[in-house]
Every structure is written in C-alpha cells, then in structure tokens.
Amino acid sequence: KQEVTQIPAALSVPEGENLVLNCSFTDSAIYNLQWFRQDPGKGLTSLLLIQSSQREQTSGRLNASLDKSSGRSTLYIAASQPGDSATYLCAASNYGGSQGNLIFGKGTKLSVKP
Amino acid sequence: DTGVSQNPRHKITKRGQNVTFRCDPISEHNRLYWYRQTLGQGPEFLTYFQNEAQLEKSRLLSDRFSAERPKGSFSTLEIQRTEQGDSAMYLCASSLPTAIRDEQYFGPGTRLTVT
C-alpha cells in the first residue's frame, strides 16, 4: 500500500531564498507523481506532474524531481516570493488497479516573509 | 470558466440530515474523482468514475454515501444521515488520462459542517 510523507510540515523563509520541499513514498511502482498548491480554504492547483519515465519537470521558478529507486521527490522553488505562501501537497498514483487514485501526503505549509 | 466547478461551496447541516453536492468537470474529461479532506490532512480518495461507470470505491465510502454520474458529465455525491465526523472539505477532480499520464484538475471544494 502506497504511503506518502512530506517533511517538513511547515517552513518559513525570507523572500528571495531558494528552497526545497521533500516528499517520500513507499511503493516505487509510480505511475504519476503530482505536486499541488493549496491556499487556505481553497481547492488544489496542479503545479507539476512527473510521469513514471521522467526524472524531472520544470515550470517557471518550479522544478520537481523524481527518484523512484530512493522513493523520493523534491519540489525546488527558486527566488521565493510572499505570493508563494501556501500549502504544497505531493501525491502519487501507482500502476495496477485504479491508476489515477492519488495518495496524498499531509503537505508542507510554506510561509515566505517579505 | 472552463475549470472544475462545485456547488454549493459551503453547506451547514444538522446531524441526521441528508446533503447532496454537485461537481461539473472540465467538459472533455472522461474521468471524475471525489476526495475528502479534513483539517491538516491531505485529501483522501473516495471514488471515481470513467464516463458514467463508477469503477472504484474506497472503504471510506460507507453505505451512507452514494455517488452518481448519470450521463457521464456532472456528478453528485449524497450523504445520508449525516454525522459530525462527516464534516470536511469534499473535493472533486477531473482528468483525461492517457496510458502514461493522468493529470487531475481540482475544483474549489464544498465545505460541509455538520452541527
């Protein structure tokens, strides 16, 4: 059974700093790994999706990596801004059965101070 | 607006009442998912549809919960005899999967409070 863990639970950084959010998973038979952003009381916004055959994906200041052998994914945010403050969720889906069923971590709450 | 929409956004109900939520997916998406999220937790999978067929249900989906997608477009999630433990954010997502990719797009959620 897939389990997803995100560390740290909360992170506070000054504006302009580069930062890394960590995600680990127990089952390496990953189909997709998806990173989301969630603002308080809101739904989820998809940031990046990494397919099983890929090692990383980039979008603007965001870069997500996937290492299936070690069971880890990271989300790198460059030159952080106060508007990046939100909870970041990592979610994995696996081959077999319902491949789209996303298993989520509890998230990392990011605060970027001006 | 071509994103996923959910109604209502907020629902307050008394314990024992029935509630129904609606989700309208992105129009060309054939998959529709329901998740539940409680405070401080990540979303948890409840059920999903491929077109109008309900293909999987989580054990979290007790017999008080029922979901439908009658014409393969919008979906409804009904909770009968609500309990205080049902208080949560109910999230809907849709996708158009391929063999190697299933990117899910989420709606704004329906926040349910059971008093």
Side-chain angles (χ1 to χ4, degrees):
Chain A
K1 177 188 171 186
Q2 179 70 274
E3 293 181 3
V4 177
T5 303
Q6 291 186 249
I7 295 174
L11 181 64
S12 181
V13 299
E15 182 178 4
E17 191 161 299
N18 302 328
L19 59 100
V20 175
L21 306 180
N22 296 296
C23 171
S24 61
F25 47 90
T26 55
D27 186 343
S28 61
I30 291 284
Y31 168 56
N32 288 169
L33 191 131
Q34 201 166 349
W35 282 93
F36 296 89
R37 169 187 173 135
Q38 186 173 33
D39 293 290
K42 306 292 186 182
L44 279 62
T45 300
S46 178
L47 298 173
L48 290 164
L49 181 147
I50 310 176
Q51 297 164 192
S52 176
S53 60
Q54 297 174 325
R55 301 242 344 149
E56 65 177 342
Q57 283 287 301
T58 298
S59 176
R61 295 182 294 109
L62 305 180
N63 176 277
S65 68
L66 175 63
D67 184 342
K68 292 188 292 182
S69 62
S70 68
R72 292 183 181 179
S73 176
T74 61
L75 179 67
Y76 174 83
I77 303 176
S80 58
Q81 304 170 357
D84 295 330
S85 298
T87 295
Y88 290 81
L89 293 155
C90 164
S93 59
N94 288 80
Y95 283 102
S98 58
Q99 296 185 165
N101 173 3
L102 288 172
I103 307 299
F104 283 85
K106 293 183 179 181
T108 293
K109 185 175 182 180
L110 174 65
S111 176
V112 181
K113 305 294 186 184
Chain B
D1 186 4
T2 57
V4 178
S5 62
Q6 293 187 246
N7 288 287
R9 296 291 307 277
H10 303 275
K11 178 71 177 178
I12 300 174
T13 190
K14 293 184 178 180
R15 188 178 54 176
Q17 298 295 305
N18 299 344
V19 295
T20 300
F21 311 139
R22 176 176 169 131
C23 171
D24 287 88
I26 294 171
S27 59
E28 65 269 25
H29 286 183
N30 57 3
R31 275 209 187 162
L32 188 148
Y33 297 84
W34 285 99
Y35 292 84
R36 180 172 71 184
Q37 185 178 27
T38 54
L39 199 63
Q41 304 294 315
E44 294 176 292
F45 169 78
L46 292 178
T47 188
Y48 88 97
F49 293 84
Q50 175 90 10
N51 299 311
E52 66 274 12
Q54 188 174 16
L55 296 186
E56 184 172 345
K57 294 191 288 187
S58 162
R59 66 181 186 280
L60 293 175
L61 212 67
S62 77
D63 56 7
R64 295 185 298 106
F65 288 69
S66 63
E68 295 182 341
R69 195 182 183 198
K71 296 184 179 180
S73 56
F74 72 92
S75 175
T76 58
L77 177 68
E78 180 183 16
I79 309 174
Q80 296 182 328
R81 305 181 303 281
T82 52
E83 302 173 355
Q84 288 187 322
D86 297 331
S87 294
M89 174 80 89
Y90 290 83
L91 294 162
C92 174
S94 71
S95 69
L96 184 63
T98 68
I100 58 173
R101 182 183 182 91
D102 182 3
E103 185 165 11
Q104 295 184 31
Y105 296 87
F106 281 74
T110 294
R111 180 164 296 284
L112 173 67
T113 302
V114 182
T115 61

